Amino acid sequence: MEVVVNAATSVDGKLSTRERRQVRISGDADFDRVDRLRASADAVLVGAGTALADDPHLGVKSEDRRVERLRNGRAANPARVVADSRARTPLDATLLNDDAETYLLVSAAAPEDRLTSLRSAGATVIETGAERVDLAAALDALEAEGVGRLLAEGGGELLFSLFEADLVDELSVFVGSLVVGGREAPTLVDGEGFVESFPTLELRNVDRLDDGVVLTYRVA
């Protein structure tokens, strides 16, 4: 499986304000770039925090791209995947509508009644790990379901876990022309952080887009 991480950050690496309030970091050209990335993916992954805070759809916005996917024998939208160790995803979440298949990655600590309700709401549940999702095992299970290219869109805790488990192949970051600040504001990669054996990145492309730049890296 190829795992691509994509995000938009401020110059100081923030995803949103310390209040977890979204700010407009990029513009229409970058939104279209993200739509192309989604159209090329088999599934789009977010963490439970992102699912709870933003109630995202994670689908392809361009009708032409959805039609092209259908012509190629694929679903109109990539599958939605939520890394949700405790099964906190709301039953009325947009991610559970009929626009695409939805996978919930949970741990053995998830309450069984929640899992039953989420399955009834249309989710396919993949259980790995004791207290937290074992991402390597979960991604193996997704690959067995036909997911060959996975686009991970955050948040910072999930992205740290992916890097920590050495699961990331490519990193694409739009850096917008603003400063957010705040020691408690979420960053591109949060979690415990690395103190040694840092992920090794190879810069492949720098592209100016909107009022910012897109940095594309391969991850060694």
Side-chain angles (χ1 to χ4, degrees):
M1 177 190 291
E2 182 177 36
V3 177
V4 178
V5 168
N6 181 70
T9 76
S10 61
V11 168
D12 54 331
K14 305 299 184 182
L15 298 176
S16 66
T17 70
R18 69 177 187 274
E19 299 170 337
R20 299 306 199 262
R21 181 174 55 83
Q22 293 295 317
V23 294
R24 186 180 175 92
I25 293 174
S26 62
D28 292 341
D30 188 56
F31 295 157
D32 188 64
R33 180 187 68 86
V34 173
D35 204 52
R36 289 198 308 272
L37 286 174
R38 288 183 180 177
S40 70
D42 298 311
V44 181
L45 168 67
V46 296
T50 298
L52 288 166
D54 300 341
D55 191 27
H57 180 269
L58 304 182
V60 176
K61 294 182 179 180
S62 165
E63 183 177 359
D64 289 343
R65 291 179 182 132
R66 292 196 302 270
V67 169
E68 183 65 21
R69 284 175 60 93
L70 291 169
R71 286 175 177 166
N72 291 330
R74 308 169 75 189
N77 291 299
R80 290 85 57 100
V81 185
V82 184
D84 186 5
S85 294
R86 303 280 174 166
R88 295 182 296 151
T89 300
L91 296 177
D92 60 351
T94 301
L95 289 167
L96 294 173
N97 66 20
D98 295 331
D99 290 348
E101 190 167 6
T102 300
Y103 294 94
L104 289 183
L105 312 181
V106 304
S107 72
E112 190 58 43
D113 59 333
R114 287 288 302 163
L115 299 182
T116 298
S117 297
L118 287 163
R119 288 188 181 102
S120 297
T124 298
V125 175
I126 295 175
E127 182 182 313
T128 62
E131 295 293 326
R132 298 186 61 179
V133 172
D134 180 333
L135 285 171
L139 266 56
D140 284 344
L142 287 173
E143 190 168 27
E145 293 285 335
V147 176
R149 181 177 171 86
L150 179 68
L151 178 64
E153 295 191 358
E157 297 285 340
L158 171 64
L159 298 189
F160 172 76
S161 296
L162 288 170
F163 276 106
E164 184 183 37
D166 196 24
L167 295 172
V168 180
D169 298 293
E170 182 177 308
L171 170 64
S172 179
V173 185
F174 177 89
V175 181
S177 297
L178 79 163
V179 172
V180 174
R183 65 177 58 89
E184 296 180 0
T187 63
L188 176 66
V189 179
D190 283 333
E192 295 180 1
F194 297 101
V195 295
E196 57 184 20
S197 300
F198 303 99
T200 302
L201 307 179
E202 178 186 346
L203 182 63
R204 291 292 182 88
N205 291 294
V206 179
D207 300 304
R208 183 159 186 168
L209 196 64
D210 292 325
D211 188 24
V213 294
V214 179
L215 307 175
T216 304
Y217 300 87
R218 289 299 295 179
V219 183

